Amino acid sequence: MENLFNNIAEAVLDGDINETQRLTEEAVEKDATAKEILNQGLLKGMNEVGVLFKQGELFVPEVLVSAKAMDTGMQVIKPLIKEGDIKKSGKCLFATVKGDLHDIGKKLVSMMLEGAGYEVIDLGVDTSPEKIVEAVKEHQPDILGMSAMLTTTMANMNDTIKALEENGLADKVKIMVGGAPVSPNYAENIGANYSSDAHSAVELANKLMV
Ligand code: B12
């Protein structure tokens, strides 16, 4: 099985969408858990992509194809994540903030929350504070989750919280934030709750719902 996970990681790194799908399906058939496939396969590959991107050995188009491959694999394991408890735990609204196009981490967090019984509404990427304010009014979620992967877009989390305050909505929704550049300190400063990954995001959401 370890070989299979490594091959999944390799397929993500190569940006081979069909192979990622085929190998992930094979792992599911062989009863691998969603966690194993994620941590030892898909995420391992994506992490490697991150390293090579940073070193300038991979470029945006290649990273995009790897992201697509990772997404294809995540769709395959989605039913596995959702097999768990299906009782409704609460409603979450998710968005990647303005100026930011990264959505893999946000999708993963959404998926885990859905698996834990939450209803998730995903506003997508590059979401302006105005759009988030409108969506909070419309959907009245229990939790708003914001994702930022760039140091330059992180400040838009704060702008969104300010916009919520101006509209009298800040105390009507619990806010959680995450993404690579976001720290617990930063979250605290802007009045939000922080979680570093998809697993602890579920724990945090459960805590916020109490
Ligand atoms: C894939 C990727 C891209 C893809 C995105 C495709 C997509 N559909 O998402 C593309 C090619 C589009 C891209 C573009 C760019 N990218 Co980019 N990208 C990455 C990369 C390699 C991987 C990110 C990823 O998906 N990781 C896997 C997921 C599962 O992890 P994650 O996102 O961290 O999410 C987890 C946690 O952070 C947390 N989390 C995330 N969101 C949330 C939200 C909440 C509420 C909670 C609780 C938790 C949480 O939980 C997640 C699951 O565990 C990273 C490198 C890295 N190491 O992160 C660079 C990286 C983020 N990119 C970077 C850069 C610079 C760019 C570009 C500016 C490059 C360019 N010159 O054009 C552009 C910017 C485009 C834009 N406006 O957004 C830098 C950012 C540096 C910085 N500090 O600002 C990084 C760190 C690479 C680097 N080291 O230089 N990128």
Side-chain angles (χ1 to χ4, degrees):
M1 197 71 105
E2 205 184 312
N3 255 344
L4 182 54
F5 295 144
N6 283 336
N7 290 342
I8 292 175
E10 198 67 27
V12 170
L13 182 57
D14 291 345
D16 192 333
I17 294 166
N18 291 337
E19 193 65 357
T20 305
Q21 174 160 6
R22 192 185 68 74
L23 292 169
T24 309
E25 283 168 355
E26 189 181 328
V28 170
E29 272 160 32
K30 288 186 171 157
D31 287 333
T33 64
K35 196 174 173 185
E36 286 169 334
I37 298 174
L38 260 177
N39 290 344
Q40 297 174 52
L42 298 169
L43 279 176
K44 191 175 164 201
M46 205 62 215
N47 284 340
E48 185 65 16
V49 170
V51 172
L52 294 174
F53 185 43
K54 194 173 181 181
Q55 292 170 350
E57 284 176 45
L58 282 183
F59 300 98
V60 171
E62 292 152 315
V63 178
L64 266 178
V65 190
S66 287
K68 178 78 190 128
M70 160 104 196
D71 195 37
T72 308
M74 289 203 315
Q75 294 310 318
V76 175
I77 60 168
K78 200 170 176 179
L80 241 64
I81 295 177
K82 285 191 173 177
E83 259 168 23
D85 195 2
I86 327 246
K87 74 171 169 32
K88 215 152 152 241
S89 317
K91 197 195 265 188
C92 300
L93 188 69
F94 265 88
T96 300
V97 295
K98 190 176 173 186
D100 202 314
L101 301 175
H102 296 83
D103 69 350
I104 299 176
K106 181 202 62 185
K107 276 190 189 162
L108 195 54
V109 175
S110 304
M111 226 185 250
M112 297 295 280
L113 283 167
E114 279 179 342
Y118 286 87
E119 179 189 347
V120 177
I121 300 161
D122 190 340
L123 297 178
V125 297
D126 188 17
T127 320
S128 67
E130 298 75 33
K131 193 170 167 199
I132 294 177
V133 165
E134 282 315 307
V136 169
K137 278 186 197 156
E138 184 189 340
H139 300 290
Q140 304 183 347
D142 302 294
I143 296 173
L144 166 65
M146 287 188 282
S147 182
M149 289 295 286
L150 300 169
T151 30
T152 48
T153 57
M154 220 166 62
N156 295 329
M157 291 176 158
N158 194 18
D159 289 352
T160 305
I161 293 175
K162 283 194 187 132
L164 288 169
E165 279 165 3
E166 282 158 18
N167 285 273
L169 295 166
D171 54 356
K172 296 212 161 42
V173 62
K174 305 271 169 51
I175 298 171
M176 63 190 216
V177 294
V182 183
S183 68
N185 234 343
Y186 180 75
E188 203 187 325
N189 283 342
I190 63 171
N193 301 277
Y194 170 81
S195 140
S196 63
D197 60 49
H199 289 285
S200 51
V202 173
E203 284 163 25
L204 174 62
N206 290 341
K207 224 167 69 190
L208 294 176
M209 289 300 296
V210 174

